[in-house]
Every structure is written in C-alpha cells, then in structure tokens.
Amino acid sequence: MNRILLASAFLLVSISAAFADEIPSAVPAAVVPVSAAVSPVSAAVSPVPAAVSPAPKAPAPKLVEPHLHIARSNIAGHARVALTFDACMGQADERILSTLVRERIPATIFVTARWLKRNPAAVAVFLQNPDLFELENHGQNHIPAVDTPTLIYGIASASSPQAVRQEVEGGAAAMVAAGIPAPQWFRGSTAKYDLSAIGEIRAMGYRIAGYSVNGDGGSLLGAVITEERIASAKDGDVVISHINQPTHAAGEGVAKALVDLKAKGTQFVRLEDVEDTGDDKTTE
C-alpha cells in the first residue's frame, strides 16, 4: 500500500511539473497552480525564486555632430568652398583622386592609420602635390571619439578618455611615420562626439573638423543625388565626402560635382588656408 501511495504522489508531481513548464514565462511563478492538487508531497518541492529585475541601463551619452564653416569670399559667382574627404579604410577611389589632380582642385584629406598602410601609391600622389592636398588625422582605427560606451551606426565608441587619446595619437603617429607633416586637425569616425571628448581632443592641440554639407551620405548615396548635394555647396561651406570606396556609385557623383563646381567659378580652399568657425567649441 505504501508503495502505491508513493507512486501516485510521484506521478502527480511529475504531471504538475510538466504543466508548469508550459506556462508562458510572462506569468509569475507564484501563480502557477502546482501545489493545489498534491498537498503532502508538493510541500517538499523547492519554491521557484522570484524573477530578478534587470539592472537599469546607463543613459546614452549626449552626442553632437558639429558644423564647420569657413570665411566667405563674398564675391558673386566665386563661392569659397572647402572640400574635405575621409579616407577611412579600404582602397583609394581613383575616380575622385584623378579628378582632383587633373583639375588642380585643392582638398583636405582625413586619413586613418589603417588606410595609410593599404594605400602607399595614393599617399605618394598626395605628397607629390603639396599645393593641392592637406593631410589631416582621421584616427588610428576608425573608432568614434566618444569617451563613454555606446554604439554609433553600429560602431563601438572608444569608451574612455584613454582610448580617445590613443585613437588620436595613434593616427597622428602613423601619419608622421609615413612622411606626412604632423596634423593640426582631427575628425573622428562618424563625425560624432560627446562634449567631454571634444574638450580632451582640443586639449591635445587639435582643431576638430565638422562640416556643413554631407556630400555622399557616408558614400552610401547614389551618383546623381551625391552630385546634386555637392554641387549645391554655397559660399563658406565645408563639404564632407569619402575617397575610400571605389566600388560605390557615390564616387562617380563626387567626381562629376567637382567639375560642376569648378565650372561655376568656385574658389576651392583647404582648411589650413582660411579662417573657420566650428560649433561646440571645436575650433575655439
């Protein structure tokens, strides 16, 4: 008889446990009706601990994307525009580089250490044309210059002041090692920063390059819209585009827009050639 009672109790516990496994996780464990049918045996079953609330997430850092303008020419038909190009990773876009050289159009190029290693031929072209190209710092590994942890366009930020410093100094060291003059400007990956990182970079002696016209949408726009955006640049604008995506359609639009602007009488300048004004204390 005792064996029959124990077997019955064991069977009831097993059925109750199976039923509990089918209860949706959103239902609190405390309301699962396991013990109601098995009073003497279920008392030995360990209670299910209450769900632990997740730790509150740290607030996302406040990010800024500074604007930059240069001094206007104030001459009708001869707008002054600064062309800036980011060379993040990948290969040089010869469509853009050859147009700049052929048309004798000056520009400021922001290079990463990673890009420098992969593109010695393009670096040689830059160095052979010092009247055209100003080379500046885009960082060591193309990491956003934000000193708290976050993701920007899916890219993890530097996350600490020490890592921001390494990104800036590592980029500058690679430039000097490649025979490029020490940079005076810095533009971080994604062109977004938090205010504390801006202060840290400025304390290192760098001006921070924002922009006023996003020419190619991170090189992801089509050729036609890229051409239209860049060709619409006005007196005092700073244009940002990319010179490291030779397989993207945007590069074709960039090259055409350069010719369009030149035909309109645009005065092209490098950042080192003209006075400028930047948001968020990036150039003060």
Side-chain angles (χ1 to χ4, degrees):
M1 179 64 71
N2 290 337
R3 291 181 180 179
I4 294 173
L5 288 174
L6 287 173
S8 300
F10 178 80
L11 179 61
L12 286 171
V13 171
S14 300
I15 293 171
S16 299
F19 177 75
D21 287 342
E22 294 179 359
I23 299 297
S25 59
V27 179
V31 302
V32 178
V34 176
S35 60
V38 195
S39 55
V41 181
S42 61
V45 178
S46 298
V48 179
V52 178
S53 300
K57 292 183 178 179
K62 179 182 178 181
L63 302 181
V64 296
E65 191 168 359
H67 292 92
L68 179 67
H69 288 85
I70 56 172
R72 299 176 180 177
S73 71
N74 292 318
I75 302 173
H78 295 281
R80 181 182 292 156
V81 172
L83 299 172
T84 69
F85 293 93
D86 288 358
C88 312
M89 293 168 281
Q91 302 296 324
D93 191 332
E94 291 295 336
R95 297 169 297 181
I96 300 172
L97 181 54
S98 62
T99 301
L100 291 169
V101 174
R102 183 182 67 250
E103 300 294 334
R104 308 308 295 169
I105 295 175
T108 303
I109 316 293
F110 287 85
V111 297
T112 67
R114 296 172 68 176
W115 189 88
L116 288 174
K117 291 178 181 178
R118 297 188 63 177
N119 294 274
V123 174
V125 173
F126 291 147
L127 295 177
Q128 291 163 6
N129 292 274
D131 58 321
L132 293 182
F133 299 115
E134 170 190 1
L135 299 180
E136 297 293 351
N137 188 358
H138 196 34
Q140 182 176 22
N141 290 309
H142 202 246
I143 297 173
V146 174
D147 61 15
T148 55
T150 191
L151 289 177
I152 308 172
Y153 304 133
I155 305 174
S157 66
S159 301
S160 71
Q162 295 79 12
V164 169
R165 175 174 289 275
Q166 179 59 45
E167 176 70 2
V168 177
E169 291 183 341
M175 293 177 69
V176 172
I180 301 169
Q184 305 300 312
W185 287 84
F186 176 79
R187 174 183 285 157
S189 166
T190 74
K192 291 180 182 288
Y193 315 83
D194 53 355
L195 296 178
S196 53
I198 287 176
E200 293 154 12
I201 297 166
R202 292 289 291 124
M204 296 170 65
Y206 289 91
R207 302 169 78 79
I208 298 175
Y211 61 90
S212 59
V213 175
N214 186 337
D216 63 0
S219 84
L220 299 177
L221 297 178
V224 173
I225 190 171
T226 295
E227 180 181 4
E228 291 173 349
R229 282 193 178 195
I230 298 175
S232 70
K234 297 178 175 58
D235 198 13
D237 271 335
V238 176
V239 180
I240 182 176
S241 298
H242 291 76
I243 197 169
N244 66 299
Q245 295 290 356
T247 63
H248 290 195
E252 178 185 349
V254 172
K256 289 181 177 178
L258 300 180
V259 177
D260 296 343
L261 285 171
K262 184 178 180 181
K264 291 195 298 186
T266 300
Q267 177 189 134
F268 298 104
V269 296
R270 303 169 299 183
L271 293 182
E272 65 182 352
D273 297 329
V274 67
E275 295 182 356
D276 52 73
T277 303
D279 292 348
D280 302 303
K281 299 184 179 180
T282 49
T283 62
E284 291 180 4

